């Protein structure tokens, strides 16, 4: 029987680190902690080693297709495939950032949508049947955060394809460059990136249905991390609960869903839950 393999992107700190910690405790297989920076990644592994947890490490920069391909080839050669992929790596500009909106839009969408998509396109072919994919979204990823009803309808269209979704994401970046984005898309590139990721989740589930692969998105809650400037009330381990639920515990019937940090399935285009 082949060894089961779990991969968490961007996991040297924050929620990703806590997801690795939880997987090391409960996933019956090999867990890969990954990071862009090798030294930070190895330091994170050493920290978990002190807790008697033993993840494996591999460098992975989701913004670099060659890095993803190298990791894919390594996993394929050593294990034949993977059984769990947690797409955690992401960026967010601070509210007081001085970078122009156009720069924030391009960089945020590049990492949070297009680079996650590239990671999936390269790694999905080595997902084993029965695998699970968890996309770390956000409460910002709720469809109702997009002002335009026409755009909302387009994004939730059950016939929407990945190329069509990517074209919409590019339209947002172009609108931000022109300064015409606010009326239809709102004023947050992070919102658009996470709405895009949640929409992608639903398309991916439709595309992978025949392979018995479950793809879900999760809002981890407002967590005390560098990304939130440590303003969130939840610990990183509390922020990992929803992702670990989808990775390890959720019934097979949970697929293509948008899940809250307390394990509730939430309507993507519904009201904000309490």
């Amino acid at each position: 029987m082949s060894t089961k393999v779990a991969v968490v992107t961007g996991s040297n700190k924050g929620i990703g680190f806590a997801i690795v910690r939880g997987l090391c405790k409960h996933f019956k297989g090999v867990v890969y902690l990954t990071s862009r920076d090798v030294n930070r990644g190895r330091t994170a592994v050493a920290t978990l080693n002190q807790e008697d947890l033993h993840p494996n490490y591999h460098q992975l920069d989701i913004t670099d297709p060659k890095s993803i391909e190298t990791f894919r080839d390594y996993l394929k050669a050593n294990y034949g495939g993977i059984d769990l992929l947690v797409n955690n790596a992401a960026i967010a500009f601070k509210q007081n950032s001085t970078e122009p909106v156009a720069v924030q839009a391009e960089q945020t969408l590049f990492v949070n949508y297009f680079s996650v998509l590239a990671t999936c396109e390269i790694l999905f072919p080595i997902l084993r049947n029965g695998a699970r994919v968890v996309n770390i979204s956000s409460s910002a990823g709720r469809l109702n955060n997009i002002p335009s009803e026409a755009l909302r309808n387009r994004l939730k269209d059950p016939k929407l394809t990945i190329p069509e979704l990517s074209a919409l994401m590019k339209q947002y970046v172009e609108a931000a460059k022109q300064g015409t984005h606010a009326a239809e898309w709102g004023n947050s590139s992070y919102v658009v990136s996470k709405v895009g990721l949640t929409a992608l989740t639903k398309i991916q589930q439709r595309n992978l249905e025949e392979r018995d692969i479950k793809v879900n998105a999760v809002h981890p809650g407002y967590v005390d991390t560098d990304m939130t400037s440590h303003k969130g009330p939840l610990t990183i381990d509390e922020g990992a609960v929803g992702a670990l639920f989808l990775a390890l515990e959720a019934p097979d019937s949970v697929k293509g869903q948008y899940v809250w940090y307390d394990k509730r399935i939430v309507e993507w285009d519904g009201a904000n839950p309490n």
Side-chain angles (χ1 to χ4, degrees):
M1 186 175 176
S2 58
T3 302
K4 287 189 175 291
V5 179
V7 171
V8 186
T9 70
S11 48
N12 63 285
K13 64 178 181 177
I15 296 167
F17 178 81
I19 293 170
V20 169
R21 177 190 274 141
L23 290 175
C24 284
K25 293 177 180 177
H26 303 292
F27 180 76
K28 292 178 172 55
V30 175
V31 180
Y32 272 87
L33 184 153
T34 70
S35 64
R36 283 184 301 171
D37 183 280
V38 172
N39 289 333
R40 290 177 181 175
R42 295 202 181 282
T43 298
V45 168
T47 299
L48 290 172
N49 289 166
Q50 292 173 1
E51 301 175 23
D52 200 26
L53 301 173
H54 301 282
N56 287 16
Y57 176 75
H58 201 285
Q59 192 274 343
L60 176 64
D61 179 355
I62 70 164
T63 68
D64 179 2
K66 289 185 178 179
S67 173
I68 308 168
E69 289 167 356
T70 297
F71 188 34
R72 175 202 61 197
D73 294 346
Y74 169 84
L75 292 168
K76 191 173 181 179
N78 286 275
Y79 305 101
I82 57 178
D83 304 276
L84 172 63
L85 172 62
V86 182
N87 287 306
N88 170 74
I91 65 167
F93 283 86
K94 305 298 184 186
Q95 286 188 334
N96 61 354
S97 292
T98 56
E99 288 88 350
V101 170
V103 172
Q104 294 191 33
E106 192 159 46
Q107 293 185 10
T108 303
L109 270 290
F110 172 63
V111 176
N112 295 2
Y113 176 80
F114 289 104
S115 295
V116 174
L117 174 58
T119 302
C120 293
E121 289 179 336
I122 293 168
L123 294 183
F124 274 15
I126 65 167
L127 286 175
R128 285 191 264 258
N129 289 348
R132 294 188 174 200
V133 178
V134 182
N135 293 328
I136 307 299
S137 185
S138 166
S139 59
R142 282 182 55 254
L143 187 58
N144 284 2
N145 288 323
I146 301 297
S148 165
E149 182 180 2
L151 274 175
R152 293 197 303 271
N153 288 336
R154 189 81 183 94
L155 288 161
K156 68 179 180 180
D157 183 347
K159 296 180 180 178
L160 185 67
T161 66
I162 290 175
E164 289 168 344
L165 174 59
S166 294
L168 287 172
M169 296 295 101
K170 289 175 183 175
Q171 284 177 25
Y172 165 72
V173 174
E174 289 307 310
K177 289 179 179 179
Q178 299 296 324
T180 60
H181 60 286
E184 290 191 320
W185 292 97
N187 283 310
S188 170
S189 295
Y190 187 75
V191 162
V192 176
S193 74
K194 291 301 187 178
V195 168
L197 180 62
T198 312
L200 177 64
T201 300
K202 294 182 176 294
I203 301 171
Q204 288 174 331
Q205 180 61 61
R206 295 199 296 268
N207 292 347
L208 292 167
E209 197 74 46
E210 292 183 0
R211 294 181 58 196
D212 187 33
I213 293 170
K214 274 69 73 176
V215 188
N216 292 286
V218 63
H219 160 49
Y222 194 29
V223 181
D224 179 1
T225 63
D226 289 347
M227 190 177 282
T228 66
S229 300
H230 300 282
K231 294 178 181 177
L234 300 180
T235 67
I236 58 172
D237 291 303
E238 289 170 329
V241 167
L244 290 169
F245 165 71
L246 290 172
L248 302 169
E249 304 168 23
D252 287 346
S253 58
V254 179
K255 51 189 178 181
Q257 299 292 347
Y258 179 50
V259 176
W260 226 239
Y261 61 93
D262 57 6
K263 308 180 186 179
R264 285 181 293 164
I265 295 174
V266 171
E267 289 297 324
W268 182 40
D269 57 349
N272 199 22
N274 295 322

